[in-house]
Amino acid sequence: MPTTALNFRSKLSRPGLLLLAALFAVSVASIGFEIMLTRYFAIASWSEYGYWVISIAMVGYSASGVVLSLFKDFFFRQAHRFFFFIPLLLPLAACLGFYLVTVNPFNPLEFQDPALWMDQFKNIAKYYAVLFPVFFLSGLYISLSFLALTNEKIAAVYAADLVGAGFGALVILLAMFWVHPFYLLMVLIPFWTLAALLTQPRARFQSQPWKGWVVVALVFLSGEVAAVKLNKARFCPYKMITPALNVSDARVVHRIFSPLGYYMLLDNFTERLDIPLSNNYVLLKVDGPPRAYGLYLDGNRIDSFPKTSFTDLSYAKASLDIFPYVLKPDSRALLIGTRGGFRIGEALASKASQVVALESDPNIADLMRGSLSGNEKRWFKGKDVSFLRQDPQSYLAGSRKGFDIIDVSSEFLDQADVNKYAFTQEALAGYWKALNPGGLVSLPVNIREFTVYALKLLETARQALVEVGVKDPQSHLVLYRSAWSVRLLMSKDPWTEDQVSALKSFCDLRSFDISYFPGIRPGDWQIFNDLPPTVWQEDSDVAAPKETSDALMEDSLQLLSDNGHAFRETHFFNLRPSTHDRPFFYSVLRLSNLREIINNISEIPREEIGYLINLAVLLQSLIWALLVLVIPLLRRTRGAIPLKPLGRTLVYFSALGLGFLFIEIVLIEKGAYFLGDRTYAFALVLCAMLVFSGLGSWLSARFQRKTPEVLRATALSLGAWLLLSLVMLDWTLGALMPLPLPAKCLFLVAWAASASVPLGFFFPMGLGRLPRDSGLIPWAWALNGAFSVVATPLANLLAISAGYRLLLLLALGLYGLAFLAFPPALTGGKNPGSGNPRGAAGSRNAEVRP
């Protein structure tokens, strides 16, 4: 070991060790509260509004650093009291803040009417106001810990913070398996009170220590009671679950608590199988959609399940989805999503000879194999049916036998965010490759709100066929539809006249419309379901049609024509295909058309609102970052720190705040694709990055006197990792896709850890160069937090526009900039509150002691 190595334990007194343990507990509860709020907004509103939680949290953290940098002497003198009383205030602030959040009358749907915006902006401001105290106090505790211990121990403080946050994420995610999402706050209160107990000696209760115990016990009990009694959380009244629960005979058959969400299996007389069915089903002499259980995830209906084991499947003859089986009887079919098992029965009833059925959601699969298995057993009992809990990418990567039909369920895309990877250009190319000669891929898209999604899927399919070497992709594609749903068929071989004729007969009998087939000519037959164009451009010369029309047919012909490139580039909406690097199916807005978008915001689907929320949060975060940057400088003592090193400090910690989040966001997204599950990816990446960054921070303390040399080696290793990720990560994930889930989880953790250890060196090494008496340490903490606020919406917008590879390139540049801007060793005056003119550098007595 080098002579400069520090003995971690010997350099910390008992109060110092207790402070680190208390900091660990506060970090556990703080990150847990943040994740809990994200889950709350997903249920009580929609998941898109979870971005606010990140923004509110980082505003509170960075504000604490600003306040501490301005009034460091006061806080340093009273630190022994703050370390005890802040953890006692946090449960009360969290309970009160959460109560006020639950009674906030925020209505996201009113954003579709500009006249109502002001009321909703006021409600958003209330969210910030009531939650700010929790994150401000948490940030104050963390940043005060950096001041309370000597500069040699900054690495230990940062390690305790990061590892605590990683452990907190794991604790709250595990709690979601057993605790109702509205009551997760009860899990966190013990950690805050534990922090108060650990720092009780600092509050100077030595003569009567029982008083401290009584105060802590009272706070714990009152916090737990308040978390229950003050809880007014409820489902958003505009979600599908609310009217369903208010039906007179409604009953909840089954509940599932899970990190994936809050599942409710519902039964009432309105619950039926939700499928695109012909209006002519009576003429076809079949029954309508059968009674079913409805499965709701966070209040959104995502699936249906059979109520009995004798479900009549005759309705399938009138379904939009059934045509591939009519065209290709005796087929080997791959079902991606099973519609609660109904799709298996429909395929078998349509004479499919072999069925492989995939469900990527473990809770849906468990319902089908468990409590509802009696209703599905007649479909599973045959040896020709294989039912697997697996995502389509992993299954096809390990499959060697082709299919005649690959059929994606109409519910699959909206069942989980990660399912968007089933609709990317690479996924469609993979489906096509897995087809037998003459096979078909059947892909659904909902056009109830936006026709343009069908166009985007058509362009994605065209590009996928070009990718696999098909010279005339137009001849392999067909679009047909009902009033609200579209099916895109990709054929392994060009469509023949007989196949097109069969499709025409199928659609005519059921009053469906064909929007595209090779050689289609508009006006040749009747349009059953009117589909007018969507016109938002003020200077558009498109007139509303006087007769029934099919705007999808007209746009498809232009998109697939020789002038298709010009049509795509000039179209009001962004028709670029979804890819593994840009996997955003519900993303068609162009920023250049922002004015028209705002003018027509009432017509924007909810799925597109996330883009506008990111834009609004980015604007707010940039303003906040500017304030964090400027306010402490206004009180800067003249000549205290030269401007050049001050500027390098600004650049260094701002770059770290942006770069770390960019890498984290990329790893979570790549992990979601690799594991086929966003929750597992989030948990593994977040925990791995925080814990191993904490390890890196702790290791950095061993090289206090060799900081420049160690930082150079650290920057080189991180740069190599980023370059390797740019060049090899996507290929590697694809090659490892067939591995079992535990092996894939192990690889993801190892890959994240290999970046996180060097990432953990940067922050404590930078703080170690700053004098504690100048106020720069809390200011650096505030800068890092403020630019982390900027990083989240900025990363999302950049990924939507240019893809995740750009984020890796930017992270490479940001950490290179941070290396170049590494602050010089700065010296300051006396250590605040200690009277020691040597400052924090040399004395064990610089720790804050009781």
Side-chain angles (χ1 to χ4, degrees):
M1 182 181 296
T3 57
T4 55
L6 297 179
N7 184 316
F8 175 73
R9 186 173 179 85
S10 67
K11 288 290 184 178
L12 279 170
S13 63
R14 184 172 183 274
L17 289 170
L18 291 176
L19 177 58
L20 289 183
L23 173 61
F24 176 90
V26 168
S27 296
V28 168
S30 299
I31 193 70
F33 188 63
E34 189 174 339
I35 296 173
M36 183 207 83
L37 287 172
T38 303
R39 289 294 307 124
Y40 167 78
F41 277 107
I43 299 172
S45 185
W46 277 281
S47 58
E48 293 87 353
Y49 299 91
Y51 292 125
W52 287 338
V53 179
I54 300 171
S55 173
I56 296 169
M58 289 304 181
V59 165
Y61 291 143
S62 54
S64 68
V66 171
V67 170
L68 190 57
S69 70
L70 295 175
F71 307 105
K72 59 184 182 303
D73 292 340
F74 165 75
F75 283 102
F76 193 87
R77 286 194 300 270
Q78 304 298 324
H80 57 284
R81 293 188 175 92
F82 281 114
F83 283 131
F84 176 71
F85 286 106
I86 286 177
L88 295 180
L89 290 174
L90 279 167
L92 305 179
C95 290
L96 180 60
F98 187 58
Y99 166 75
L100 294 173
V101 164
T102 61
V103 298
N104 189 321
F106 173 70
N107 179 4
L109 298 183
E110 291 191 3
F111 276 122
Q112 295 182 319
D113 184 353
L116 303 175
W117 283 6
M118 191 51 64
D119 288 339
Q120 297 313 311
F121 283 142
K122 290 178 181 177
N123 289 331
I124 293 171
K126 291 177 184 176
Y127 282 139
Y128 275 80
V130 301
L131 293 176
F132 175 82
V134 179
F135 296 110
F136 175 80
L137 290 172
S138 299
L140 187 62
Y141 196 96
I142 296 168
S143 53
L144 191 58
S145 299
F146 283 116
L147 283 184
L149 297 171
T150 62
N151 278 30
E152 289 98 339
K153 302 177 186 69
I154 280 177
V157 174
Y158 191 52
D161 177 33
L162 289 176
V163 176
F167 183 73
L170 185 61
V171 165
I172 200 70
L173 287 168
L174 290 175
M176 289 180 189
F177 283 108
W178 296 283
V179 182
H180 192 290
F182 290 160
Y183 294 93
L184 288 169
L185 184 55
M186 298 179 67
V187 178
L188 305 176
I189 290 172
F191 289 96
W192 281 313
T193 52
L194 174 62
L197 285 175
L198 290 170
T199 53
Q200 180 197 4
R202 293 178 178 272
R204 299 178 181 173
F205 284 112
Q206 288 93 331
S207 59
Q208 294 178 309
W210 62 270
K211 290 183 178 180
W213 288 88
V214 169
V215 170
V216 172
L218 288 174
V219 169
F220 171 74
L221 292 174
S222 60
E224 294 290 356
V225 171
V228 176
K229 296 296 184 181
L230 292 181
N231 196 320
K232 303 296 181 183
R234 63 194 184 282
F235 281 106
C236 172
Y238 306 103
K239 284 190 168 182
M240 289 182 282
I241 188 71
T242 302
L245 285 172
N246 289 325
V247 174
S248 59
D249 67 335
R251 68 186 182 95
V252 179
V253 178
H254 194 66
R255 300 176 194 265
I256 300 174
F257 300 146
S258 165
L260 300 177
Y262 178 28
Y263 294 76
M264 297 174 68
L265 190 66
L266 201 63
D267 181 26
N268 63 48
F269 76 90
T270 68
E271 293 291 345
R272 292 186 177 271
L273 178 63
D274 186 14
I275 56 170
L277 203 65
S278 168
N279 293 329
N280 299 346
Y281 66 85
V282 175
L283 297 176
L284 294 169
K285 298 180 180 181
V286 299
D287 292 332
R291 293 280 301 273
Y293 294 124
L295 183 66
Y296 293 79
L297 173 60
D298 292 343
N300 299 309
R301 197 176 195 276
I302 63 166
D303 217 340
S304 306
F305 292 86
K307 291 190 67 173
T308 71
S309 59
F310 302 102
T311 302
D312 181 7
L313 297 172
S314 63
Y315 67 87
K317 296 178 183 178
S319 169
L320 184 76
D321 309 342
I322 209 68
F323 174 70
Y325 302 91
V326 174
L327 189 64
K328 296 190 171 297
D330 196 34
S331 58
R332 183 172 191 260
L334 173 65
L335 303 181
I336 300 175
T338 66
R339 195 178 286 148
F342 280 107
R343 294 293 285 149
I344 300 173
E346 293 165 12
L348 294 174
S350 301
K351 311 301 182 186
S353 61
Q354 187 176 1
V355 174
V356 177
L358 306 180
E359 277 291 356
S360 59
D361 188 315
N363 292 309
I364 293 177
D366 289 345
L367 282 171
M368 294 173 65
R369 289 169 171 162
S371 58
L372 299 179
S373 60
N375 300 343
E376 321 233 2
K377 60 184 178 182
R378 67 181 177 126
W379 301 330
F380 290 151
K381 65 182 180 181
K383 63 180 181 179
D384 295 326
V385 175
S386 299
F387 177 61
L388 305 172
R389 205 301 265 175
Q390 199 168 7
D391 63 274
Q393 291 83 9
S394 297
Y395 174 78
L396 288 174
S399 175
R400 296 294 178 265
K401 193 173 181 181
F403 293 92
D404 302 304
I405 297 173
I406 296 180
D407 185 4
V408 182
S409 170
S410 55
E411 296 87 0
F412 188 73
L413 176 60
D414 295 323
Q415 283 179 345
D417 176 73
V418 74
N419 289 355
K420 64 192 177 186
Y421 283 100
F423 290 79
T424 62
Q425 179 179 320
E426 295 89 343
L428 269 58
Y431 302 155
W432 190 88
K433 292 176 182 177
L435 290 175
N436 293 324
L440 291 174
V441 178
S442 179
L443 300 161
V445 60
N446 189 314
I447 58 170
R448 187 179 297 273
E449 294 188 89
F450 248 22
T451 311
V452 73
Y453 293 134
L455 271 184
K456 179 171 182 174
L457 184 61
L458 182 62
E459 172 62 10
T460 304
R462 187 191 72 82
Q463 293 274 24
L465 291 172
V466 171
E467 177 186 328
V468 297
V470 175
K471 295 182 179 179
D472 54 341
Q474 297 88 333
S475 65
H476 292 253
L477 300 172
V478 158
L479 278 177
Y480 69 107
R481 66 180 182 85
S482 63
W484 308 118
S485 300
V486 172
R487 276 278 163 177
L488 168 65
L489 301 181
M490 293 173 58
S491 175
K492 186 76 168 184
D493 302 317
W495 283 84
T496 66
E497 291 186 8
D498 289 343
Q499 289 174 326
V500 172
S501 178
L503 178 61
K504 290 178 181 177
S505 299
F506 175 87
C507 291
D508 286 345
L509 187 61
R510 294 161 178 80
S511 297
F512 295 145
D513 295 297
I514 306 176
S515 292
Y516 179 80
F517 64 81
I520 190 171
R521 292 185 299 178
D524 277 4
W525 57 82
Q526 178 184 0
I527 295 174
F528 297 105
N529 304 282
D530 188 29
L531 191 62
T534 300
V535 182
W536 285 5
Q537 292 162 287
E538 296 177 357
D539 58 348
S540 174
D541 56 0
V542 177
K546 297 179 180 179
E547 300 178 352
T548 56
S549 62
D550 188 343
L552 182 57
M553 179 191 298
E554 297 168 5
D555 287 344
S556 299
L557 284 169
Q558 293 188 67
L559 179 65
L560 299 177
S561 70
D562 293 338
N563 296 321
H565 177 75
F567 174 79
R568 292 189 295 273
E569 294 300 314
T570 59
H571 199 278
F572 183 83
F573 296 107
N574 186 356
L575 302 180
R576 289 174 61 193
S578 298
T579 65
H580 284 173
D581 194 48
R582 284 184 59 258
F584 305 97
F585 185 79
Y586 292 122
S587 177
V588 295
L589 302 181
R590 294 185 190 270
L591 190 58
S592 57
N593 297 325
L594 185 59
R595 179 180 176 183
E596 290 87 352
I597 292 169
I598 297 299
N599 290 339
N600 295 275
I601 197 168
S602 61
E603 300 179 39
I604 292 179
R606 178 187 59 80
E607 291 84 357
E608 297 283 347
I609 293 295
Y611 183 84
L612 300 179
I613 293 173
N614 271 303
L615 206 57
V617 172
L618 177 61
L619 179 62
Q620 169 250 307
S621 61
L622 286 171
I623 294 172
W624 178 251
L626 183 63
L627 291 174
V628 169
L629 190 157
V630 170
I631 290 175
L633 294 181
L634 296 178
R635 290 197 54 179
R636 174 176 165 270
T637 304
R638 181 176 300 177
I641 301 293
L643 284 176
K644 185 175 179 180
L646 198 65
R648 292 176 67 173
T649 301
L650 163 65
V651 171
Y652 183 81
F653 288 101
S654 301
L656 297 188
L658 290 169
F660 190 96
L661 263 293
F662 283 0
I663 294 172
E664 183 181 284
I665 288 170
V666 170
L667 282 176
I668 290 174
E669 192 63 41
K670 297 296 183 182
Y673 159 69
F674 185 49
L675 302 182
D677 191 297
R678 175 167 298 280
T679 303
Y680 291 156
F682 173 82
L684 288 173
V685 171
L686 186 63
C687 293
M689 289 196 68
L690 291 174
V691 170
F692 284 96
S693 292
L695 175 62
S697 176
W698 180 77
L699 290 174
S700 72
R702 298 171 171 266
F703 304 100
Q704 285 282 320
R705 298 179 185 177
K706 294 186 176 181
T707 295
E709 295 87 347
V710 172
L711 191 69
R712 185 180 300 111
T714 301
L716 287 173
S717 65
L718 181 61
W721 182 92
L722 286 165
L723 288 173
L724 195 60
S725 295
L726 277 165
V727 176
M728 296 288 294
L729 183 58
D730 287 341
W731 180 88
T732 303
L733 296 182
L736 298 179
M737 195 64 77
L739 291 178
L741 183 62
K744 292 199 286 189
C745 290
L746 184 62
F747 172 81
L748 184 61
V749 169
W751 193 257
S754 61
S756 301
V757 173
L759 284 171
F761 275 70
F762 282 86
F763 192 79
M765 281 190 163
L767 285 187
R769 309 283 276 188
L770 306 179
R772 293 168 62 225
D773 60 333
S774 65
L776 284 182
I777 288 179
W779 184 56
W781 162 259
L783 281 172
N784 187 263
F787 280 88
S788 295
V789 180
V790 174
T792 302
L794 180 60
N796 289 325
L797 291 171
L798 290 173
I800 290 171
S801 301
Y804 286 101
R805 288 174 58 83
L806 176 63
L807 296 184
L808 289 176
L809 280 171
L810 290 174
L812 181 62
L814 286 164
Y815 274 96
L817 181 63
F819 173 72
L820 296 175
F822 184 61
L826 302 174
T827 58
K830 65 178 183 179
N831 182 11
S834 71
N836 180 3
R838 295 178 299 167
S843 173
R844 288 171 52 88
N845 295 326
E847 295 180 20
V848 177
R849 294 178 176 272

